[in-house]
PDB file of all heavy atoms in Angstrom:
ATOM      1  N   ARG A   1      -3.521   3.078   7.432  1.00  0.00           N
ATOM      2  CA  ARG A   1      -2.461   3.948   6.925  1.00  0.00           C
ATOM      3  C   ARG A   1      -2.303   3.900   5.409  1.00  0.00           C
ATOM      4  O   ARG A   1      -1.975   4.911   4.781  1.00  0.00           O
ATOM      5  CB  ARG A   1      -1.134   3.554   7.575  1.00  0.00           C
ATOM      6  CG  ARG A   1      -1.041   3.863   9.051  1.00  0.00           C
ATOM      7  CD  ARG A   1       0.212   3.238   9.647  1.00  0.00           C
ATOM      8  NE  ARG A   1       0.394   3.603  11.054  1.00  0.00           N
ATOM      9  CZ  ARG A   1       1.343   3.095  11.843  1.00  0.00           C
ATOM     10  NH1 ARG A   1       2.198   2.198  11.356  1.00  0.00           N
ATOM     11  NH2 ARG A   1       1.443   3.488  13.096  1.00  0.00           N
ATOM     12  N   PHE A   2      -2.514   2.722   4.794  1.00  0.00           N
ATOM     13  CA  PHE A   2      -2.080   2.560   3.403  1.00  0.00           C
ATOM     14  C   PHE A   2      -3.175   2.150   2.420  1.00  0.00           C
ATOM     15  O   PHE A   2      -2.898   2.044   1.225  1.00  0.00           O
ATOM     16  CB  PHE A   2      -0.934   1.539   3.340  1.00  0.00           C
ATOM     17  CG  PHE A   2       0.301   2.005   4.059  1.00  0.00           C
ATOM     18  CD1 PHE A   2       0.624   1.518   5.313  1.00  0.00           C
ATOM     19  CD2 PHE A   2       1.126   2.968   3.493  1.00  0.00           C
ATOM     20  CE1 PHE A   2       1.752   1.961   5.982  1.00  0.00           C
ATOM     21  CE2 PHE A   2       2.251   3.428   4.156  1.00  0.00           C
ATOM     22  CZ  PHE A   2       2.564   2.919   5.398  1.00  0.00           C
ATOM     23  N   ASP A   3      -4.387   1.934   2.888  1.00  0.00           N
ATOM     24  CA  ASP A   3      -5.456   1.528   1.977  1.00  0.00           C
ATOM     25  C   ASP A   3      -5.658   2.546   0.857  1.00  0.00           C
ATOM     26  O   ASP A   3      -5.935   2.186  -0.290  1.00  0.00           O
ATOM     27  CB  ASP A   3      -6.766   1.340   2.751  1.00  0.00           C
ATOM     28  CG  ASP A   3      -7.513   0.104   2.317  1.00  0.00           C
ATOM     29  OD1 ASP A   3      -6.921  -0.719   1.599  1.00  0.00           O
ATOM     30  OD2 ASP A   3      -8.687  -0.049   2.700  1.00  0.00           O
ATOM     31  N   HIS A   4      -5.509   3.822   1.194  1.00  0.00           N
ATOM     32  CA  HIS A   4      -5.748   4.876   0.204  1.00  0.00           C
ATOM     33  C   HIS A   4      -4.541   5.077  -0.708  1.00  0.00           C
ATOM     34  O   HIS A   4      -4.667   5.633  -1.804  1.00  0.00           O
ATOM     35  CB  HIS A   4      -6.049   6.190   0.912  1.00  0.00           C
ATOM     36  CG  HIS A   4      -4.885   6.727   1.699  1.00  0.00           C
ATOM     37  ND1 HIS A   4      -4.457   6.156   2.882  1.00  0.00           N
ATOM     38  CD2 HIS A   4      -4.041   7.765   1.446  1.00  0.00           C
ATOM     39  CE1 HIS A   4      -3.408   6.819   3.337  1.00  0.00           C
ATOM     40  NE2 HIS A   4      -3.127   7.796   2.485  1.00  0.00           N
ATOM     41  N   GLN A   5      -3.369   4.637  -0.265  1.00  0.00           N
ATOM     42  CA  GLN A   5      -2.132   4.898  -1.007  1.00  0.00           C
ATOM     43  C   GLN A   5      -1.794   3.782  -1.997  1.00  0.00           C
ATOM     44  O   GLN A   5      -1.220   4.042  -3.060  1.00  0.00           O
ATOM     45  CB  GLN A   5      -0.970   5.065  -0.023  1.00  0.00           C
ATOM     46  CG  GLN A   5       0.385   5.332  -0.678  1.00  0.00           C
ATOM     47  CD  GLN A   5       1.484   5.525   0.351  1.00  0.00           C
ATOM     48  OE1 GLN A   5       1.264   6.129   1.403  1.00  0.00           O
ATOM     49  NE2 GLN A   5       2.668   5.015   0.074  1.00  0.00           N
ATOM     50  N   ILE A   6      -2.158   2.549  -1.642  1.00  0.00           N
ATOM     51  CA  ILE A   6      -1.839   1.397  -2.483  1.00  0.00           C
ATOM     52  C   ILE A   6      -3.159   0.784  -2.953  1.00  0.00           C
ATOM     53  O   ILE A   6      -3.844   0.105  -2.176  1.00  0.00           O
ATOM     54  CB  ILE A   6      -1.001   0.365  -1.708  1.00  0.00           C
ATOM     55  CG1 ILE A   6       0.276   1.013  -1.169  1.00  0.00           C
ATOM     56  CG2 ILE A   6      -0.657  -0.827  -2.593  1.00  0.00           C
ATOM     57  CD1 ILE A   6       1.085   0.127  -0.248  1.00  0.00           C
ATOM     58  N   PRO A   7      -3.543   1.001  -4.200  1.00  0.00           N
ATOM     59  CA  PRO A   7      -4.855   0.547  -4.681  1.00  0.00           C
ATOM     60  C   PRO A   7      -5.084  -0.953  -4.537  1.00  0.00           C
ATOM     61  O   PRO A   7      -6.156  -1.378  -4.116  1.00  0.00           O
ATOM     62  CB  PRO A   7      -4.843   0.968  -6.158  1.00  0.00           C
ATOM     63  CG  PRO A   7      -3.885   2.115  -6.212  1.00  0.00           C
ATOM     64  CD  PRO A   7      -2.826   1.796  -5.209  1.00  0.00           C
ATOM     65  N   LEU A   8      -4.090  -1.763  -4.876  1.00  0.00           N
ATOM     66  CA  LEU A   8      -4.231  -3.216  -4.768  1.00  0.00           C
ATOM     67  C   LEU A   8      -3.459  -3.699  -3.545  1.00  0.00           C
ATOM     68  O   LEU A   8      -2.346  -4.214  -3.635  1.00  0.00           O
ATOM     69  CB  LEU A   8      -3.728  -3.897  -6.044  1.00  0.00           C
ATOM     70  CG  LEU A   8      -4.524  -3.586  -7.317  1.00  0.00           C
ATOM     71  CD1 LEU A   8      -3.913  -4.306  -8.511  1.00  0.00           C
ATOM     72  CD2 LEU A   8      -5.993  -3.969  -7.155  1.00  0.00           C
ATOM     73  N   LEU A   9      -4.062  -3.490  -2.373  1.00  0.00           N
ATOM     74  CA  LEU A   9      -3.443  -3.849  -1.102  1.00  0.00           C
ATOM     75  C   LEU A   9      -4.243  -4.966  -0.458  1.00  0.00           C
ATOM     76  O   LEU A   9      -5.446  -4.824  -0.211  1.00  0.00           O
ATOM     77  CB  LEU A   9      -3.391  -2.639  -0.173  1.00  0.00           C
ATOM     78  CG  LEU A   9      -2.823  -2.859   1.229  1.00  0.00           C
ATOM     79  CD1 LEU A   9      -1.356  -3.268   1.166  1.00  0.00           C
ATOM     80  CD2 LEU A   9      -2.991  -1.598   2.092  1.00  0.00           C
ATOM     81  N   GLU A  10      -3.592  -6.104  -0.210  1.00  0.00           N
ATOM     82  CA  GLU A  10      -4.218  -7.235   0.455  1.00  0.00           C
ATOM     83  C   GLU A  10      -3.535  -7.414   1.805  1.00  0.00           C
ATOM     84  O   GLU A  10      -2.325  -7.671   1.858  1.00  0.00           O
ATOM     85  CB  GLU A  10      -4.061  -8.513  -0.367  1.00  0.00           C
ATOM     86  CG  GLU A  10      -4.589  -8.425  -1.788  1.00  0.00           C
ATOM     87  CD  GLU A  10      -4.163  -9.619  -2.615  1.00  0.00           C
ATOM     88  OE1 GLU A  10      -4.351 -10.773  -2.148  1.00  0.00           O
ATOM     89  OE2 GLU A  10      -3.643  -9.412  -3.723  1.00  0.00           O
ATOM     90  N   LEU A  11      -4.293  -7.280   2.884  1.00  0.00           N
ATOM     91  CA  LEU A  11      -3.737  -7.426   4.223  1.00  0.00           C
ATOM     92  C   LEU A  11      -4.400  -8.606   4.915  1.00  0.00           C
ATOM     93  O   LEU A  11      -5.635  -8.676   4.997  1.00  0.00           O
ATOM     94  CB  LEU A  11      -3.927  -6.143   5.028  1.00  0.00           C
ATOM     95  CG  LEU A  11      -3.118  -4.942   4.515  1.00  0.00           C
ATOM     96  CD1 LEU A  11      -3.522  -3.673   5.250  1.00  0.00           C
ATOM     97  CD2 LEU A  11      -1.618  -5.191   4.668  1.00  0.00           C
ATOM     98  N   LEU A  12      -3.585  -9.532   5.398  1.00  0.00           N
ATOM     99  CA  LEU A  12      -4.082 -10.786   5.939  1.00  0.00           C
ATOM    100  C   LEU A  12      -3.539 -11.024   7.342  1.00  0.00           C
ATOM    101  O   LEU A  12      -2.376 -10.728   7.631  1.00  0.00           O
ATOM    102  CB  LEU A  12      -3.653 -11.951   5.036  1.00  0.00           C
ATOM    103  CG  LEU A  12      -4.005 -11.803   3.541  1.00  0.00           C
ATOM    104  CD1 LEU A  12      -3.317 -12.884   2.734  1.00  0.00           C
ATOM    105  CD2 LEU A  12      -5.512 -11.859   3.339  1.00  0.00           C
ATOM    106  N   VAL A  13      -4.383 -11.564   8.193  1.00  0.00           N
ATOM    107  CA  VAL A  13      -3.986 -11.922   9.555  1.00  0.00           C
ATOM    108  C   VAL A  13      -3.753 -13.425   9.608  1.00  0.00           C
ATOM    109  O   VAL A  13      -4.604 -14.210   9.163  1.00  0.00           O
ATOM    110  CB  VAL A  13      -5.069 -11.535  10.579  1.00  0.00           C
ATOM    111  CG1 VAL A  13      -4.660 -11.964  11.987  1.00  0.00           C
ATOM    112  CG2 VAL A  13      -5.336 -10.037  10.532  1.00  0.00           C
ATOM    113  N   GLY A  14      -2.605 -13.838  10.108  1.00  0.00           N
ATOM    114  CA  GLY A  14      -2.346 -15.261  10.236  1.00  0.00           C
ATOM    115  C   GLY A  14      -0.913 -15.562  10.607  1.00  0.00           C
ATOM    116  O   GLY A  14      -0.055 -14.681  10.629  1.00  0.00           O
ATOM    117  N   ASP A  15      -0.679 -16.830  10.899  1.00  0.00           N
ATOM    118  CA  ASP A  15       0.634 -17.330  11.280  1.00  0.00           C
ATOM    119  C   ASP A  15       1.296 -17.946  10.057  1.00  0.00           C
ATOM    120  O   ASP A  15       0.796 -18.948   9.515  1.00  0.00           O
ATOM    121  CB  ASP A  15       0.480 -18.375  12.384  1.00  0.00           C
ATOM    122  CG  ASP A  15       1.803 -18.808  12.991  1.00  0.00           C
ATOM    123  OD1 ASP A  15       2.843 -18.693  12.309  1.00  0.00           O
ATOM    124  OD2 ASP A  15       1.800 -19.276  14.147  1.00  0.00           O
ATOM    125  N   VAL A  16       2.399 -17.364   9.614  1.00  0.00           N
ATOM    126  CA  VAL A  16       3.058 -17.858   8.401  1.00  0.00           C
ATOM    127  C   VAL A  16       3.619 -19.266   8.577  1.00  0.00           C
ATOM    128  O   VAL A  16       3.952 -19.923   7.589  1.00  0.00           O
ATOM    129  CB  VAL A  16       4.184 -16.903   7.942  1.00  0.00           C
ATOM    130  CG1 VAL A  16       3.612 -15.575   7.492  1.00  0.00           C
ATOM    131  CG2 VAL A  16       5.225 -16.713   9.032  1.00  0.00           C
ATOM    132  N   GLN A  17       3.716 -19.735   9.809  1.00  0.00           N
ATOM    133  CA  GLN A  17       4.231 -21.088  10.048  1.00  0.00           C
ATOM    134  C   GLN A  17       3.169 -22.157   9.804  1.00  0.00           C
ATOM    135  O   GLN A  17       3.491 -23.267   9.359  1.00  0.00           O
ATOM    136  CB  GLN A  17       4.737 -21.238  11.480  1.00  0.00           C
ATOM    137  CG  GLN A  17       5.830 -20.284  11.877  1.00  0.00           C
ATOM    138  CD  GLN A  17       6.201 -20.432  13.324  1.00  0.00           C
ATOM    139  OE1 GLN A  17       7.129 -21.162  13.674  1.00  0.00           O
ATOM    140  NE2 GLN A  17       5.494 -19.743  14.202  1.00  0.00           N
ATOM    141  N   THR A  18       1.915 -21.838  10.109  1.00  0.00           N
ATOM    142  CA  THR A  18       0.882 -22.873  10.128  1.00  0.00           C
ATOM    143  C   THR A  18      -0.321 -22.599   9.238  1.00  0.00           C
ATOM    144  O   THR A  18      -0.977 -23.539   8.796  1.00  0.00           O
ATOM    145  CB  THR A  18       0.373 -23.077  11.566  1.00  0.00           C
ATOM    146  OG1 THR A  18      -0.121 -21.816  12.081  1.00  0.00           O
ATOM    147  CG2 THR A  18       1.492 -23.572  12.480  1.00  0.00           C
ATOM    148  N   ASP A  19      -0.620 -21.344   8.969  1.00  0.00           N
ATOM    149  CA  ASP A  19      -1.825 -21.020   8.211  1.00  0.00           C
ATOM    150  C   ASP A  19      -1.587 -21.121   6.706  1.00  0.00           C
ATOM    151  O   ASP A  19      -0.467 -20.955   6.224  1.00  0.00           O
ATOM    152  CB  ASP A  19      -2.321 -19.611   8.564  1.00  0.00           C
ATOM    153  CG  ASP A  19      -2.832 -19.528   9.994  1.00  0.00           C
ATOM    154  OD1 ASP A  19      -3.200 -20.584  10.547  1.00  0.00           O
ATOM    155  OD2 ASP A  19      -2.854 -18.421  10.560  1.00  0.00           O
ATOM    156  N   GLU A  20      -2.665 -21.368   5.985  1.00  0.00           N
ATOM    157  CA  GLU A  20      -2.607 -21.420   4.529  1.00  0.00           C
ATOM    158  C   GLU A  20      -3.110 -20.090   3.982  1.00  0.00           C
ATOM    159  O   GLU A  20      -4.199 -19.632   4.333  1.00  0.00           O
ATOM    160  CB  GLU A  20      -3.474 -22.565   3.994  1.00  0.00           C
ATOM    161  CG  GLU A  20      -3.020 -23.950   4.442  1.00  0.00           C
ATOM    162  CD  GLU A  20      -1.658 -24.332   3.881  1.00  0.00           C
ATOM    163  OE1 GLU A  20      -1.286 -23.810   2.807  1.00  0.00           O
ATOM    164  OE2 GLU A  20      -0.973 -25.154   4.518  1.00  0.00           O
ATOM    165  N   PHE A  21      -2.327 -19.481   3.108  1.00  0.00           N
ATOM    166  CA  PHE A  21      -2.717 -18.219   2.482  1.00  0.00           C
ATOM    167  C   PHE A  21      -2.938 -18.472   0.998  1.00  0.00           C
ATOM    168  O   PHE A  21      -2.126 -19.129   0.338  1.00  0.00           O
ATOM    169  CB  PHE A  21      -1.635 -17.163   2.694  1.00  0.00           C
ATOM    170  CG  PHE A  21      -1.393 -16.848   4.149  1.00  0.00           C
ATOM    171  CD1 PHE A  21      -0.335 -17.423   4.843  1.00  0.00           C
ATOM    172  CD2 PHE A  21      -2.242 -16.002   4.837  1.00  0.00           C
ATOM    173  CE1 PHE A  21      -0.119 -17.147   6.177  1.00  0.00           C
ATOM    174  CE2 PHE A  21      -2.034 -15.712   6.186  1.00  0.00           C
ATOM    175  CZ  PHE A  21      -0.972 -16.292   6.853  1.00  0.00           C
ATOM    176  N   THR A  22      -4.028 -17.950   0.489  1.00  0.00           N
ATOM    177  CA  THR A  22      -4.421 -18.285  -0.879  1.00  0.00           C
ATOM    178  C   THR A  22      -4.229 -17.129  -1.859  1.00  0.00           C
ATOM    179  O   THR A  22      -4.765 -17.166  -2.956  1.00  0.00           O
ATOM    180  CB  THR A  22      -5.899 -18.714  -0.906  1.00  0.00           C
ATOM    181  OG1 THR A  22      -6.722 -17.658  -0.370  1.00  0.00           O
ATOM    182  CG2 THR A  22      -6.109 -19.973  -0.077  1.00  0.00           C
ATOM    183  N   PHE A  23      -3.448 -16.126  -1.480  1.00  0.00           N
ATOM    184  CA  PHE A  23      -3.245 -15.024  -2.419  1.00  0.00           C
ATOM    185  C   PHE A  23      -2.405 -15.476  -3.611  1.00  0.00           C
ATOM    186  O   PHE A  23      -1.589 -16.412  -3.510  1.00  0.00           O
ATOM    187  CB  PHE A  23      -2.624 -13.807  -1.730  1.00  0.00           C
ATOM    188  CG  PHE A  23      -1.273 -14.024  -1.102  1.00  0.00           C
ATOM    189  CD1 PHE A  23      -0.111 -13.949  -1.857  1.00  0.00           C
ATOM    190  CD2 PHE A  23      -1.157 -14.268   0.262  1.00  0.00           C
ATOM    191  CE1 PHE A  23       1.144 -14.119  -1.274  1.00  0.00           C
ATOM    192  CE2 PHE A  23       0.091 -14.450   0.856  1.00  0.00           C
ATOM    193  CZ  PHE A  23       1.239 -14.368   0.086  1.00  0.00           C
ATOM    194  N   ALA A  24      -2.608 -14.823  -4.746  1.00  0.00           N
ATOM    195  CA  ALA A  24      -1.862 -15.164  -5.952  1.00  0.00           C
ATOM    196  C   ALA A  24      -0.372 -14.935  -5.720  1.00  0.00           C
ATOM    197  O   ALA A  24       0.013 -13.980  -5.036  1.00  0.00           O
ATOM    198  CB  ALA A  24      -2.355 -14.313  -7.121  1.00  0.00           C
ATOM    199  N   PRO A  25       0.472 -15.783  -6.271  1.00  0.00           N
ATOM    200  CA  PRO A  25       1.914 -15.641  -6.066  1.00  0.00           C
ATOM    201  C   PRO A  25       2.435 -14.276  -6.485  1.00  0.00           C
ATOM    202  O   PRO A  25       1.896 -13.638  -7.391  1.00  0.00           O
ATOM    203  CB  PRO A  25       2.505 -16.764  -6.934  1.00  0.00           C
ATOM    204  CG  PRO A  25       1.420 -17.772  -7.037  1.00  0.00           C
ATOM    205  CD  PRO A  25       0.153 -16.974  -7.070  1.00  0.00           C
ATOM    206  N   VAL A  26       3.491 -13.839  -5.818  1.00  0.00           N
ATOM    207  CA  VAL A  26       4.097 -12.531  -6.066  1.00  0.00           C
ATOM    208  C   VAL A  26       5.517 -12.703  -6.584  1.00  0.00           C
ATOM    209  O   VAL A  26       6.096 -13.789  -6.508  1.00  0.00           O
ATOM    210  CB  VAL A  26       4.093 -11.665  -4.789  1.00  0.00           C
ATOM    211  CG1 VAL A  26       2.670 -11.394  -4.320  1.00  0.00           C
ATOM    212  CG2 VAL A  26       4.906 -12.340  -3.680  1.00  0.00           C
ATOM    213  N   GLU A  27       6.087 -11.620  -7.084  1.00  0.00           N
ATOM    214  CA  GLU A  27       7.442 -11.672  -7.633  1.00  0.00           C
ATOM    215  C   GLU A  27       8.516 -11.489  -6.567  1.00  0.00           C
ATOM    216  O   GLU A  27       9.661 -11.899  -6.762  1.00  0.00           O
ATOM    217  CB  GLU A  27       7.597 -10.607  -8.724  1.00  0.00           C
ATOM    218  CG  GLU A  27       6.706 -10.855  -9.929  1.00  0.00           C
ATOM    219  CD  GLU A  27       6.840  -9.787 -10.996  1.00  0.00           C
ATOM    220  OE1 GLU A  27       7.656  -8.853 -10.816  1.00  0.00           O
ATOM    221  OE2 GLU A  27       6.130  -9.875 -12.011  1.00  0.00           O
ATOM    222  N   LEU A  28       8.147 -10.861  -5.443  1.00  0.00           N
ATOM    223  CA  LEU A  28       9.109 -10.610  -4.370  1.00  0.00           C
ATOM    224  C   LEU A  28       8.437 -10.820  -3.024  1.00  0.00           C
ATOM    225  O   LEU A  28       7.343 -10.300  -2.783  1.00  0.00           O
ATOM    226  CB  LEU A  28       9.636  -9.170  -4.451  1.00  0.00           C
ATOM    227  CG  LEU A  28      10.561  -8.697  -3.322  1.00  0.00           C
ATOM    228  CD1 LEU A  28      11.904  -9.417  -3.378  1.00  0.00           C
ATOM    229  CD2 LEU A  28      10.781  -7.176  -3.383  1.00  0.00           C
ATOM    230  N   VAL A  29       9.076 -11.602  -2.161  1.00  0.00           N
ATOM    231  CA  VAL A  29       8.640 -11.754  -0.770  1.00  0.00           C
ATOM    232  C   VAL A  29       9.716 -11.149   0.117  1.00  0.00           C
ATOM    233  O   VAL A  29      10.897 -11.491  -0.006  1.00  0.00           O
ATOM    234  CB  VAL A  29       8.407 -13.229  -0.397  1.00  0.00           C
ATOM    235  CG1 VAL A  29       8.238 -13.378   1.117  1.00  0.00           C
ATOM    236  CG2 VAL A  29       7.171 -13.775  -1.107  1.00  0.00           C
ATOM    237  N   PHE A  30       9.308 -10.260   1.010  1.00  0.00           N
ATOM    238  CA  PHE A  30      10.240  -9.617   1.931  1.00  0.00           C
ATOM    239  C   PHE A  30       9.970 -10.127   3.339  1.00  0.00           C
ATOM    240  O   PHE A  30       8.843 -10.045   3.847  1.00  0.00           O
ATOM    241  CB  PHE A  30      10.075  -8.099   1.885  1.00  0.00           C
ATOM    242  CG  PHE A  30      11.029  -7.349   2.797  1.00  0.00           C
ATOM    243  CD1 PHE A  30      12.386  -7.349   2.544  1.00  0.00           C
ATOM    244  CD2 PHE A  30      10.558  -6.655   3.898  1.00  0.00           C
ATOM    245  CE1 PHE A  30      13.279  -6.671   3.372  1.00  0.00           C
ATOM    246  CE2 PHE A  30      11.428  -5.958   4.733  1.00  0.00           C
ATOM    247  CZ  PHE A  30      12.794  -5.977   4.465  1.00  0.00           C
ATOM    248  N   ALA A  31      11.004 -10.669   3.976  1.00  0.00           N
ATOM    249  CA  ALA A  31      10.898 -11.189   5.340  1.00  0.00           C
ATOM    250  C   ALA A  31      11.993 -10.553   6.176  1.00  0.00           C
ATOM    251  O   ALA A  31      13.102 -11.076   6.282  1.00  0.00           O
ATOM    252  CB  ALA A  31      11.016 -12.715   5.345  1.00  0.00           C
ATOM    253  N   GLY A  32      11.693  -9.415   6.742  1.00  0.00           N
ATOM    254  CA  GLY A  32      12.662  -8.677   7.534  1.00  0.00           C
ATOM    255  C   GLY A  32      12.506  -8.970   9.014  1.00  0.00           C
ATOM    256  O   GLY A  32      11.463  -8.672   9.606  1.00  0.00           O
ATOM    257  N   LEU A  33      13.529  -9.569   9.631  1.00  0.00           N
ATOM    258  CA  LEU A  33      13.518  -9.933  11.048  1.00  0.00           C
ATOM    259  C   LEU A  33      12.317 -10.813  11.384  1.00  0.00           C
ATOM    260  O   LEU A  33      11.655 -10.642  12.404  1.00  0.00           O
ATOM    261  CB  LEU A  33      13.538  -8.680  11.929  1.00  0.00           C
ATOM    262  CG  LEU A  33      14.733  -7.747  11.705  1.00  0.00           C
ATOM    263  CD1 LEU A  33      14.710  -6.601  12.709  1.00  0.00           C
ATOM    264  CD2 LEU A  33      16.051  -8.508  11.787  1.00  0.00           C
ATOM    265  N   LEU A  34      12.042 -11.754  10.509  1.00  0.00           N
ATOM    266  CA  LEU A  34      10.967 -12.719  10.710  1.00  0.00           C
ATOM    267  C   LEU A  34      11.493 -14.066  11.191  1.00  0.00           C
ATOM    268  O   LEU A  34      10.933 -14.674  12.104  1.00  0.00           O
ATOM    269  CB  LEU A  34      10.194 -12.916   9.401  1.00  0.00           C
ATOM    270  CG  LEU A  34       9.139 -14.030   9.411  1.00  0.00           C
ATOM    271  CD1 LEU A  34       7.888 -13.551  10.140  1.00  0.00           C
ATOM    272  CD2 LEU A  34       8.786 -14.472   7.986  1.00  0.00           C
ATOM    273  N   PHE A  35      12.590 -14.522  10.603  1.00  0.00           N
ATOM    274  CA  PHE A  35      13.046 -15.879  10.855  1.00  0.00           C
ATOM    275  C   PHE A  35      13.540 -16.095  12.283  1.00  0.00           C
ATOM    276  O   PHE A  35      13.651 -17.237  12.732  1.00  0.00           O
ATOM    277  CB  PHE A  35      14.120 -16.280   9.835  1.00  0.00           C
ATOM    278  CG  PHE A  35      13.525 -16.656   8.506  1.00  0.00           C
ATOM    279  CD1 PHE A  35      13.451 -15.732   7.482  1.00  0.00           C
ATOM    280  CD2 PHE A  35      13.010 -17.923   8.298  1.00  0.00           C
ATOM    281  CE1 PHE A  35      12.883 -16.071   6.264  1.00  0.00           C
ATOM    282  CE2 PHE A  35      12.440 -18.271   7.089  1.00  0.00           C
ATOM    283  CZ  PHE A  35      12.371 -17.353   6.062  1.00  0.00           C
ATOM    284  N   GLU A  36      13.813 -15.013  13.005  1.00  0.00           N
ATOM    285  CA  GLU A  36      14.198 -15.143  14.413  1.00  0.00           C
ATOM    286  C   GLU A  36      13.044 -15.659  15.278  1.00  0.00           C
ATOM    287  O   GLU A  36      13.261 -16.101  16.409  1.00  0.00           O
ATOM    288  CB  GLU A  36      14.659 -13.796  14.970  1.00  0.00           C
ATOM    289  CG  GLU A  36      15.987 -13.303  14.418  1.00  0.00           C
ATOM    290  CD  GLU A  36      15.860 -12.564  13.095  1.00  0.00           C
ATOM    291  OE1 GLU A  36      14.753 -12.579  12.504  1.00  0.00           O
ATOM    292  OE2 GLU A  36      16.855 -11.986  12.646  1.00  0.00           O
ATOM    293  N   TYR A  37      11.811 -15.598  14.757  1.00  0.00           N
ATOM    294  CA  TYR A  37      10.633 -15.904  15.570  1.00  0.00           C
ATOM    295  C   TYR A  37       9.801 -17.064  15.019  1.00  0.00           C
ATOM    296  O   TYR A  37       8.697 -17.303  15.517  1.00  0.00           O
ATOM    297  CB  TYR A  37       9.753 -14.654  15.686  1.00  0.00           C
ATOM    298  CG  TYR A  37      10.477 -13.483  16.300  1.00  0.00           C
ATOM    299  CD1 TYR A  37      11.023 -12.484  15.507  1.00  0.00           C
ATOM    300  CD2 TYR A  37      10.647 -13.400  17.682  1.00  0.00           C
ATOM    301  CE1 TYR A  37      11.716 -11.417  16.065  1.00  0.00           C
ATOM    302  CE2 TYR A  37      11.337 -12.339  18.248  1.00  0.00           C
ATOM    303  CZ  TYR A  37      11.870 -11.347  17.435  1.00  0.00           C
ATOM    304  OH  TYR A  37      12.558 -10.298  17.995  1.00  0.00           O
ATOM    305  N   VAL A  38      10.311 -17.757  14.016  1.00  0.00           N
ATOM    306  CA  VAL A  38       9.528 -18.823  13.390  1.00  0.00           C
ATOM    307  C   VAL A  38      10.396 -20.052  13.165  1.00  0.00           C
ATOM    308  O   VAL A  38      11.621 -20.004  13.302  1.00  0.00           O
ATOM    309  CB  VAL A  38       8.942 -18.352  12.039  1.00  0.00           C
ATOM    310  CG1 VAL A  38       7.983 -17.183  12.235  1.00  0.00           C
ATOM    311  CG2 VAL A  38      10.056 -17.986  11.048  1.00  0.00           C
ATOM    312  N   ASP A  39       9.740 -21.140  12.799  1.00  0.00           N
ATOM    313  CA  ASP A  39      10.440 -22.333  12.358  1.00  0.00           C
ATOM    314  C   ASP A  39      10.864 -22.082  10.909  1.00  0.00           C
ATOM    315  O   ASP A  39      10.028 -22.016  10.006  1.00  0.00           O
ATOM    316  CB  ASP A  39       9.496 -23.534  12.452  1.00  0.00           C
ATOM    317  CG  ASP A  39      10.155 -24.832  12.023  1.00  0.00           C
ATOM    318  OD1 ASP A  39      10.756 -24.871  10.923  1.00  0.00           O
ATOM    319  OD2 ASP A  39      10.059 -25.823  12.747  1.00  0.00           O
ATOM    320  N   ALA A  40      12.159 -21.923  10.689  1.00  0.00           N
ATOM    321  CA  ALA A  40      12.656 -21.518   9.375  1.00  0.00           C
ATOM    322  C   ALA A  40      12.262 -22.494   8.277  1.00  0.00           C
ATOM    323  O   ALA A  40      11.831 -22.077   7.189  1.00  0.00           O
ATOM    324  CB  ALA A  40      14.174 -21.353   9.414  1.00  0.00           C
ATOM    325  N   GLU A  41      12.390 -23.788   8.547  1.00  0.00           N
ATOM    326  CA  GLU A  41      12.049 -24.772   7.520  1.00  0.00           C
ATOM    327  C   GLU A  41      10.574 -24.701   7.151  1.00  0.00           C
ATOM    328  O   GLU A  41      10.203 -24.755   5.973  1.00  0.00           O
ATOM    329  CB  GLU A  41      12.414 -26.182   7.991  1.00  0.00           C
ATOM    330  CG  GLU A  41      13.888 -26.491   7.915  1.00  0.00           C
ATOM    331  CD  GLU A  41      14.154 -27.993   7.916  1.00  0.00           C
ATOM    332  OE1 GLU A  41      13.986 -28.614   6.851  1.00  0.00           O
ATOM    333  OE2 GLU A  41      14.517 -28.509   8.974  1.00  0.00           O
ATOM    334  N   ALA A  42       9.710 -24.598   8.141  1.00  0.00           N
ATOM    335  CA  ALA A  42       8.275 -24.540   7.880  1.00  0.00           C
ATOM    336  C   ALA A  42       7.916 -23.323   7.044  1.00  0.00           C
ATOM    337  O   ALA A  42       7.112 -23.401   6.107  1.00  0.00           O
ATOM    338  CB  ALA A  42       7.500 -24.536   9.196  1.00  0.00           C
ATOM    339  N   VAL A  43       8.523 -22.180   7.375  1.00  0.00           N
ATOM    340  CA  VAL A  43       8.186 -20.947   6.665  1.00  0.00           C
ATOM    341  C   VAL A  43       8.772 -20.942   5.249  1.00  0.00           C
ATOM    342  O   VAL A  43       8.122 -20.493   4.301  1.00  0.00           O
ATOM    343  CB  VAL A  43       8.653 -19.727   7.480  1.00  0.00           C
ATOM    344  CG1 VAL A  43       8.493 -18.445   6.681  1.00  0.00           C
ATOM    345  CG2 VAL A  43       7.849 -19.634   8.773  1.00  0.00           C
TER     346      VAL A  43
END
């Protein structure tokens, strides 16, 4: 849907609770209706 619309788009598959993601830090992280399904402290 969005590869053509957002030139610098990085899409990653993984579990935010346990996996390590190596993308460069960002200025804003959006977590909408995420914490209901994860270990809040870990995330």
Side-chain angles (χ1 to χ4, degrees):
R1 291 171 176 174
F2 295 103
D3 223 12
H4 65 288
Q5 179 178 322
I6 303 173
L8 295 179
L9 177 64
E10 304 169 50
L11 293 172
L12 307 170
V13 178
D15 188 335
V16 294
Q17 301 176 94
T18 57
D19 292 337
E20 297 294 334
F21 299 99
T22 58
F23 61 83
V26 298
E27 295 179 1
L28 175 69
V29 168
F30 181 67
L33 302 185
L34 173 78
F35 282 96
E36 290 84 351
Y37 301 99
V38 298
D39 181 309
E41 283 200 79
V43 172

